[in-house]
Amino acid sequence: MSNGPIGVALVGAGNISGQYLRNLTSFPDVRVLGLADIDTVRAAAVAAEYGVPVSGTLATVLAVPEVEIVVNLTVPSAHAAVALESLRAGKHVYGEKPLAMNVDEAAKVVAEAANLGLRVGGAPDTFLGAGLQSALHALRSGLIGEPVAVTSAIQNLGPESWHPNPEFFYQPGGGPLFDLGPYYLTALVSLLGPVTRVAADTRKARPHRVVGSGPKEGLVFPVDVPTHVNALLDFPGTATATATFSFDSPVPRRMIEIIGTEGALSLPDPNTFEGPLLARGPRDADWRELPVSGTTAGRGIGVLDLARSLRAGTGHRASGELAYHVLELMCAISESGERGEFLPVTSTTTAPDPLPADWDPYAATF
């Protein structure tokens, strides 16, 4: 480990990699040294675009000694395997959501990291953005009193109209619950703490979908996961939440509303890093907008927080513990939908501390 910027390698040069590369190559505390992909030609092209010096296979970038963190941007079915190989090469791992396909795979990743004295982090890191950090401060200030109930929903018609390769969204590890659920559930857990039990009902509207754009336009592919999920979540000692995740709705909806004993908060879209953040008191005729402060840099700030925490010897916020709890929560929701009964969530986590007010991703700190 050096005293300068922390070396980072990305695995996966697909659709999401551009957002990470734009940000990570602009943060002075990290240096992107490698980019791997199963398609090494694509890896080389994307690496050249962003000035990344090494590209190729996973083994190629793991062999770079200065790489301390591997950012795993592969498809969900590969998350656990790539994480384990990276850990065994002596690298810390930060993965796109979900942490793994199921809790057994995720447990192996977390246990391997612990055995090797390494760290695991996991997306989403949107809860570290200005909008949700400001919501956290509003809650902790007592603005709406004690939380009582939450209503949340993410509804649309699915990604096949715009994504060039949407099939994996409808395979195990995908669907609205596993694709979009992490943003909403991570936001709720970061604000209210861990969930202890869930109940759910699930549906699948159509057995097939059709690619709507790009080279595969018109391709018919199967749907292997529920596409509409209604869940009830129990946060002990705080609130009960209802959550809807749908790829079947012609009415788009993105919402989290928290009702408290002294008012209510309307949170920004948890798949973003900005506002608006709204509040309403018992005597207010309408919502009022609250000031929002913090970083809006975007995807990759969780990686940066991990890097800075490694240098400082402190805990990182988008942790493997948090990602594991959200994964178990989603798996319990899925199983509850099949069984039609309340199920316990056995893991726990600690709601992450807020970022310092002066936390700046573009300022060098070491």
Side-chain angles (χ1 to χ4, degrees):
M1 184 182 293
S2 68
N3 292 321
I6 283 193
V8 172
L10 276 64
V11 183
N15 209 46
I16 196 66
S17 66
Q19 295 183 46
Y20 277 91
L21 284 163
R22 281 191 297 275
N23 289 327
L24 292 176
T25 55
S26 70
F27 299 159
D29 281 346
V30 298
R31 184 181 173 207
V32 182
L33 299 175
L35 176 61
D37 195 275
I38 194 171
D39 182 344
T40 56
V41 174
R42 177 169 65 175
V46 177
E49 181 181 355
Y50 290 94
V52 179
V54 177
S55 68
T57 64
L58 174 59
T60 300
V61 300
L62 291 180
V64 178
E66 295 82 6
V67 169
E68 297 180 44
I69 299 173
V70 169
V71 181
N72 184 1
L73 307 181
T74 57
V75 295
S77 60
H79 283 181
V82 170
L84 288 169
E85 188 170 348
S86 302
L87 290 167
R88 289 163 185 165
K91 316 297 185 183
H92 306 282
V93 173
Y94 180 96
E96 251 302 332
K97 45 79 180 172
L99 182 61
M101 291 283 284
N102 53 60
V103 291
D104 290 337
E105 286 186 354
K108 291 177 182 177
V109 171
V110 173
E112 188 75 0
N115 290 337
L116 295 170
L118 296 167
R119 297 201 193 190
V120 174
D125 53 6
T126 45
F127 74 94
L128 298 175
L132 292 177
Q133 287 287 294
S134 297
L136 176 60
H137 287 295
L139 275 179
R140 292 193 175 183
S141 74
L143 179 68
I144 65 167
E146 294 297 321
V148 174
V150 179
T151 302
S152 69
I154 171 64
Q155 300 174 193
N156 57 51
L157 284 173
E160 66 269 23
S161 64
W162 57 269
H163 198 287
N165 298 289
E167 297 96 324
F168 76 92
F169 287 103
Y170 295 92
Q171 297 168 358
L177 175 59
F178 283 84
D179 177 46
L180 297 172
Y183 299 108
Y184 288 76
L185 297 173
T186 302
L188 292 177
V189 171
S190 73
L191 294 166
L192 301 172
V195 175
T196 55
R197 64 173 188 157
V198 301
D201 184 65
T202 60
R203 295 286 187 273
K204 181 169 65 176
R206 302 190 297 279
H208 297 89
R209 298 266 175 151
V210 181
V211 179
S213 63
K216 294 182 178 180
E217 184 174 358
L219 175 70
V220 178
F221 61 91
V223 175
D224 298 325
V225 293
T227 51
H228 188 92
V229 178
N230 287 319
L232 181 65
L233 318 174
D234 187 10
F235 294 86
T238 55
T240 297
T242 59
T244 298
F245 311 98
S246 183
F247 281 166
D248 295 327
S249 175
V251 179
R253 182 171 290 133
R254 299 178 181 88
M255 65 171 291
I256 298 178
E257 291 182 5
I258 303 177
I259 298 170
T261 54
E262 305 296 332
L265 281 177
S266 176
L267 274 56
D269 180 354
N271 194 5
T272 69
F273 293 81
E274 304 179 1
L277 174 65
L278 308 177
R280 188 167 182 171
R283 297 179 182 83
D284 292 338
D286 204 348
W287 296 96
R288 67 185 188 279
E289 189 163 349
L290 299 178
V292 168
S293 62
T295 182
T296 59
R299 282 171 174 78
I301 58 174
V303 180
L304 177 61
D305 181 57
L306 170 58
R308 289 178 171 178
S309 297
L310 285 171
R311 286 287 189 266
T314 57
H316 58 291
R317 293 167 177 81
S319 66
E321 178 188 79
L322 175 60
Y324 182 92
H325 181 71
V326 170
L327 175 64
E328 189 194 353
L329 176 52
M330 293 189 296
C331 290
I333 290 170
S334 181
E335 185 179 353
S336 175
E338 296 174 1
R339 294 170 55 175
E341 61 187 31
F342 268 102
L343 292 179
V345 179
T346 58
S347 65
T348 190
T349 188
T350 302
D353 291 333
L355 288 171
D358 60 352
W359 197 87
D360 181 358
Y362 302 107
T365 64
F366 45 75

